Amino acid sequence: MLKKSQVYSCLLLAILCLCAGCGQPQPVQKSAIVMDTAVTLTASGDEAKAAIDESLVRLQNLDNMVNPQTPDSDVNKLARLAGTGKWVSLQPEVYKMLATAQDYARKTNGAFDVTAKPLVDLWGIGTDHAKVPSPVELAKAQKLVGWQKLELDADTHSARLLQEGMGVDLGGIAKGLAVDEVRRIYAKYGIQDGLINLGGSSLYALGHNKEGQVWRIGLRHPRKEDAQEKMALMPLENAALSTSGDYERFFEANGLRYHHIIDPRTGRPAQSGAVSVTIVAADTVPDGGLMTDLLTTAVFVMGPEQGARFIRSQQGIEGAIIDGRYHLWTTGDMAKHLEDVSQDFQFWQESGENS
């Protein structure tokens, strides 16, 4: 669970840069704490308030399905019955997340694995009990992890975990699905201009801002303490964007930095060379919010070179990966889209030559 101070700091990741211009009606905007994050929904139009109100109810509904602190959530039911052989009937949204996660666990050779919950709990990064586990503790938790031990039944929308002590962590995919759900509600109410912002790390930009300009999202500099320090600006119009970085939740011990993005294959915070990953999905990509959320984690674990190649295999997806040397790896037209790129960074190609 994130502390409120951490949640509010995450909100600063999305910096909306508005240009002076025409005096259109003010958009409706509401904020709330849902899914352990600071949510801000913005919409313009006659039905903007109704769209936002329904969206906030929907987000709370989704939270109840996936929150490990909710006793009767689907994830808790799965954990309680792990190893018993019993199937758990799931909400359609939870089944969709698990089915997608399993698909990408196969495609990424386990770089993305929702069964990593025992490891996430053991490290406790982002909580008051964060620690570096002992080798014995790591080995014990590692035995409870493995996407092959999660079975799904498509006919009944059910799932089961094969080993007692297992659990699923949907933190790397749930906010993305939530973005898509709000986007559908916006469409239902005819909202053409707005911003769906879940903590700054998962968002969707529709149309234009109140000045009639495309939304411009500030991508945080991964090594500046001030969350408002930007690596670059990303113009965004009718597209989803997600960002993951080692600066979001971490602790330091014995001079080493331990971040929250766990490599399920090693049981430790990923040491792939990546420090930040941003993924953008065009509006033609089905479930674009879900996909960008999932891919930021998977690509971070895979690392810059392998991750960039993987992004190129995904239609309608572009990405930017920052490594520890401040090299900026981009795919598709991402390099052309980025604006006001900090001089700290240089564009990099797989050949190892700067561009």
Side-chain angles (χ1 to χ4, degrees):
M1 297 286 288
L2 292 178
K3 297 179 180 178
K4 282 192 176 181
S5 61
Q6 294 171 310
V7 169
Y8 284 116
S9 68
C10 288
L11 183 58
L12 297 176
L13 287 173
I15 303 169
L16 311 181
C17 301
L18 308 179
C19 302
C22 55
Q24 296 182 358
Q26 289 293 317
V28 177
Q29 184 177 88
K30 290 189 178 182
S31 298
I33 304 296
V34 188
M35 303 181 80
D36 289 332
T37 197
V39 173
T40 300
L41 303 181
T42 307
S44 298
D46 295 339
E47 301 293 328
K49 183 179 182 302
I52 289 176
D53 288 345
E54 184 173 326
S55 296
L56 289 174
V57 171
R58 179 61 170 148
L59 290 175
Q60 187 59 62
N61 179 252
L62 292 170
D63 191 3
N64 293 337
M65 299 178 196
V66 302
N67 193 329
Q69 305 304 316
T70 303
D72 60 348
S73 68
D74 280 6
V75 296
N76 273 333
K77 292 176 185 176
L78 276 169
R80 282 199 302 270
L81 294 176
T84 67
K86 295 181 179 179
W87 291 88
V88 177
S89 180
L90 303 172
Q91 297 284 348
E93 298 87 349
V94 176
Y95 183 85
K96 180 177 184 175
M97 283 186 272
L98 292 181
T100 305
Q102 291 294 82
D103 182 28
Y104 276 82
R106 285 186 285 269
K107 290 178 178 177
T108 63
N109 294 317
F112 187 84
D113 188 342
V114 293
T115 70
K117 187 177 189 301
L119 292 168
V120 173
D121 292 345
L122 178 62
W123 283 88
I125 300 173
T127 72
D128 292 332
H129 57 271
K131 67 171 186 177
V132 179
S134 70
V136 172
E137 290 174 316
L138 271 178
K140 182 178 178 180
Q142 195 75 43
K143 292 179 180 178
L144 301 174
V145 175
W147 62 271
Q148 301 91 340
K149 302 175 186 177
L150 168 62
E151 292 187 345
L152 303 179
D153 187 326
D155 294 329
T156 62
H157 277 195
S158 299
R160 63 181 178 182
L161 294 164
L162 301 183
Q163 191 172 344
E164 184 180 358
M166 292 185 69
V168 295
D169 181 355
L170 298 178
I173 192 171
K175 285 195 295 182
L177 179 134
V179 166
D180 293 329
E181 290 297 304
V182 174
R183 179 187 172 196
R184 291 184 184 98
I185 293 172
Y186 274 27
K188 168 184 162 183
Y189 285 95
I191 305 301
Q192 297 183 356
D193 299 303
L195 188 71
I196 303 163
N197 180 0
L198 271 68
S201 61
S202 292
L203 53 87
Y204 189 93
L206 294 90
H208 301 86
N209 61 31
K210 66 179 181 180
E211 310 298 339
Q213 305 294 323
V214 298
W215 299 93
R216 284 179 170 79
I217 309 303
L219 305 181
R220 181 175 170 176
H221 193 301
R223 287 297 177 263
K224 298 290 187 181
E225 290 188 9
D226 185 351
Q228 297 189 60
E229 289 278 353
K230 299 182 292 296
M231 177 274 288
L233 293 176
M234 180 67 195
L236 205 64
E237 181 180 4
N238 298 322
L241 179 148
S242 289
T243 297
S244 289
D246 65 0
Y247 50 83
E248 293 172 336
R249 281 176 283 157
F250 67 92
F251 73 99
E252 294 182 354
N254 299 320
L256 297 176
R257 179 190 189 101
Y258 298 93
H259 60 79
H260 75 292
I261 304 174
I262 302 295
D263 185 339
R265 302 164 300 186
T266 66
R268 305 177 63 84
Q271 297 179 319
S272 65
V275 299
S276 178
V277 176
T278 297
I279 303 289
V280 174
D283 61 353
T284 55
V285 176
D287 305 311
L290 182 151
M291 291 306 306
T292 58
D293 196 11
L294 180 158
L295 287 173
T296 55
T297 300
V299 168
F300 191 102
V301 172
M302 287 190 283
E305 189 164 352
Q306 183 183 357
R309 287 198 301 269
F310 189 81
I311 295 170
R312 293 188 184 100
S313 72
Q314 306 296 299
Q315 189 171 3
I317 302 286
E318 296 179 343
I321 308 166
I322 299 173
D323 67 24
R325 297 171 296 173
Y326 283 13
H327 295 157
L328 182 55
W329 304 63
T330 60
T331 70
D333 291 329
M334 194 75 157
K336 298 177 183 177
H337 294 156
L338 291 173
E339 299 177 352
D340 298 334
V341 178
S342 167
Q343 293 183 354
D344 291 344
F345 305 93
Q346 64 178 152
F347 289 98
W348 205 254
Q349 299 174 344
E350 287 183 47
S351 64
E353 300 176 355
N354 60 328
S355 57

PDB file of all heavy atoms in Angstrom, residues 5-17:
ATOM      1  N   SER A   5       1.533  10.425   1.164  1.00  0.00           N
ATOM      2  CA  SER A   5       2.545  11.343   0.658  1.00  0.00           C
ATOM      3  C   SER A   5       3.133  10.849  -0.647  1.00  0.00           C
ATOM      4  O   SER A   5       3.418  11.620  -1.562  1.00  0.00           O
ATOM      5  CB  SER A   5       3.658  11.516   1.696  1.00  0.00           C
ATOM      6  OG  SER A   5       4.273  10.275   1.961  1.00  0.00           O
ATOM      7  N   GLN A   6       3.291   9.502  -0.757  1.00  0.00           N
ATOM      8  CA  GLN A   6       3.822   8.930  -1.999  1.00  0.00           C
ATOM      9  C   GLN A   6       2.801   9.041  -3.115  1.00  0.00           C
ATOM     10  O   GLN A   6       3.132   9.317  -4.259  1.00  0.00           O
ATOM     11  CB  GLN A   6       4.186   7.467  -1.774  1.00  0.00           C
ATOM     12  CG  GLN A   6       5.341   7.265  -0.809  1.00  0.00           C
ATOM     13  CD  GLN A   6       5.522   5.805  -0.464  1.00  0.00           C
ATOM     14  OE1 GLN A   6       4.576   5.129  -0.092  1.00  0.00           O
ATOM     15  NE2 GLN A   6       6.734   5.322  -0.583  1.00  0.00           N
ATOM     16  N   VAL A   7       1.538   8.831  -2.761  1.00  0.00           N
ATOM     17  CA  VAL A   7       0.479   8.903  -3.763  1.00  0.00           C
ATOM     18  C   VAL A   7       0.400  10.293  -4.362  1.00  0.00           C
ATOM     19  O   VAL A   7       0.342  10.483  -5.574  1.00  0.00           O
ATOM     20  CB  VAL A   7      -0.876   8.518  -3.123  1.00  0.00           C
ATOM     21  CG1 VAL A   7      -2.022   8.853  -4.057  1.00  0.00           C
ATOM     22  CG2 VAL A   7      -0.904   7.041  -2.794  1.00  0.00           C
ATOM     23  N   TYR A   8       0.435  11.299  -3.488  1.00  0.00           N
ATOM     24  CA  TYR A   8       0.327  12.657  -4.003  1.00  0.00           C
ATOM     25  C   TYR A   8       1.561  13.049  -4.814  1.00  0.00           C
ATOM     26  O   TYR A   8       1.469  13.790  -5.787  1.00  0.00           O
ATOM     27  CB  TYR A   8       0.111  13.644  -2.861  1.00  0.00           C
ATOM     28  CG  TYR A   8      -1.300  13.627  -2.323  1.00  0.00           C
ATOM     29  CD1 TYR A   8      -1.581  13.237  -1.020  1.00  0.00           C
ATOM     30  CD2 TYR A   8      -2.380  13.974  -3.142  1.00  0.00           C
ATOM     31  CE1 TYR A   8      -2.879  13.202  -0.538  1.00  0.00           C
ATOM     32  CE2 TYR A   8      -3.672  13.944  -2.667  1.00  0.00           C
ATOM     33  CZ  TYR A   8      -3.931  13.563  -1.372  1.00  0.00           C
ATOM     34  OH  TYR A   8      -5.209  13.519  -0.908  1.00  0.00           O
ATOM     35  N   SER A   9       2.731  12.548  -4.440  1.00  0.00           N
ATOM     36  CA  SER A   9       3.925  12.865  -5.222  1.00  0.00           C
ATOM     37  C   SER A   9       3.854  12.242  -6.603  1.00  0.00           C
ATOM     38  O   SER A   9       4.340  12.795  -7.577  1.00  0.00           O
ATOM     39  CB  SER A   9       5.182  12.387  -4.490  1.00  0.00           C
ATOM     40  OG  SER A   9       5.229  10.988  -4.449  1.00  0.00           O
ATOM     41  N   CYS A  10       3.211  11.039  -6.696  1.00  0.00           N
ATOM     42  CA  CYS A  10       3.070  10.392  -7.997  1.00  0.00           C
ATOM     43  C   CYS A  10       2.238  11.259  -8.937  1.00  0.00           C
ATOM     44  O   CYS A  10       2.463  11.284 -10.139  1.00  0.00           O
ATOM     45  CB  CYS A  10       2.407   9.025  -7.845  1.00  0.00           C
ATOM     46  SG  CYS A  10       3.475   7.777  -7.103  1.00  0.00           S
ATOM     47  N   LEU A  11       1.263  11.987  -8.361  1.00  0.00           N
ATOM     48  CA  LEU A  11       0.391  12.800  -9.197  1.00  0.00           C
ATOM     49  C   LEU A  11       1.164  13.863  -9.952  1.00  0.00           C
ATOM     50  O   LEU A  11       0.780  14.289 -11.043  1.00  0.00           O
ATOM     51  CB  LEU A  11      -0.684  13.456  -8.318  1.00  0.00           C
ATOM     52  CG  LEU A  11      -1.761  14.300  -9.012  1.00  0.00           C
ATOM     53  CD1 LEU A  11      -2.510  13.452 -10.032  1.00  0.00           C
ATOM     54  CD2 LEU A  11      -2.714  14.885  -7.993  1.00  0.00           C
ATOM     55  N   LEU A  12       2.308  14.273  -9.386  1.00  0.00           N
ATOM     56  CA  LEU A  12       3.096  15.314 -10.030  1.00  0.00           C
ATOM     57  C   LEU A  12       3.793  14.831 -11.288  1.00  0.00           C
ATOM     58  O   LEU A  12       4.354  15.621 -12.037  1.00  0.00           O
ATOM     59  CB  LEU A  12       4.137  15.845  -9.036  1.00  0.00           C
ATOM     60  CG  LEU A  12       3.552  16.515  -7.790  1.00  0.00           C
ATOM     61  CD1 LEU A  12       4.663  16.901  -6.839  1.00  0.00           C
ATOM     62  CD2 LEU A  12       2.725  17.727  -8.156  1.00  0.00           C
ATOM     63  N   LEU A  13       3.761  13.508 -11.544  1.00  0.00           N
ATOM     64  CA  LEU A  13       4.427  12.976 -12.734  1.00  0.00           C
ATOM     65  C   LEU A  13       3.807  13.511 -14.010  1.00  0.00           C
ATOM     66  O   LEU A  13       4.474  13.672 -15.024  1.00  0.00           O
ATOM     67  CB  LEU A  13       4.348  11.445 -12.726  1.00  0.00           C
ATOM     68  CG  LEU A  13       5.250  10.729 -11.724  1.00  0.00           C
ATOM     69  CD1 LEU A  13       4.922   9.250 -11.737  1.00  0.00           C
ATOM     70  CD2 LEU A  13       6.691  10.947 -12.047  1.00  0.00           C
ATOM     71  N   ALA A  14       2.497  13.755 -14.008  1.00  0.00           N
ATOM     72  CA  ALA A  14       1.823  14.239 -15.215  1.00  0.00           C
ATOM     73  C   ALA A  14       1.676  15.743 -15.116  1.00  0.00           C
ATOM     74  O   ALA A  14       0.882  16.258 -14.349  1.00  0.00           O
ATOM     75  CB  ALA A  14       0.461  13.585 -15.378  1.00  0.00           C
ATOM     76  N   ILE A  15       2.469  16.463 -15.840  1.00  0.00           N
ATOM     77  CA  ILE A  15       2.455  17.926 -15.787  1.00  0.00           C
ATOM     78  C   ILE A  15       1.768  18.425 -17.046  1.00  0.00           C
ATOM     79  O   ILE A  15       2.228  18.198 -18.159  1.00  0.00           O
ATOM     80  CB  ILE A  15       3.889  18.479 -15.708  1.00  0.00           C
ATOM     81  CG1 ILE A  15       4.581  17.883 -14.480  1.00  0.00           C
ATOM     82  CG2 ILE A  15       3.869  19.986 -15.667  1.00  0.00           C
ATOM     83  CD1 ILE A  15       6.061  18.149 -14.440  1.00  0.00           C
ATOM     84  N   LEU A  16       0.659  19.088 -16.871  1.00  0.00           N
ATOM     85  CA  LEU A  16      -0.117  19.521 -18.016  1.00  0.00           C
ATOM     86  C   LEU A  16       0.330  20.922 -18.417  1.00  0.00           C
ATOM     87  O   LEU A  16       0.164  21.882 -17.670  1.00  0.00           O
ATOM     88  CB  LEU A  16      -1.612  19.527 -17.668  1.00  0.00           C
ATOM     89  CG  LEU A  16      -2.100  18.235 -17.003  1.00  0.00           C
ATOM     90  CD1 LEU A  16      -3.584  18.329 -16.728  1.00  0.00           C
ATOM     91  CD2 LEU A  16      -1.790  17.069 -17.902  1.00  0.00           C
ATOM     92  N   CYS A  17       0.905  21.025 -19.581  1.00  0.00           N
ATOM     93  CA  CYS A  17       1.425  22.299 -20.039  1.00  0.00           C
ATOM     94  C   CYS A  17       0.406  22.920 -20.993  1.00  0.00           C
ATOM     95  O   CYS A  17       0.242  22.454 -22.112  1.00  0.00           O
ATOM     96  CB  CYS A  17       2.763  22.106 -20.738  1.00  0.00           C
ATOM     97  SG  CYS A  17       3.955  21.344 -19.628  1.00  0.00           S
TER      98      CYS A  17
END
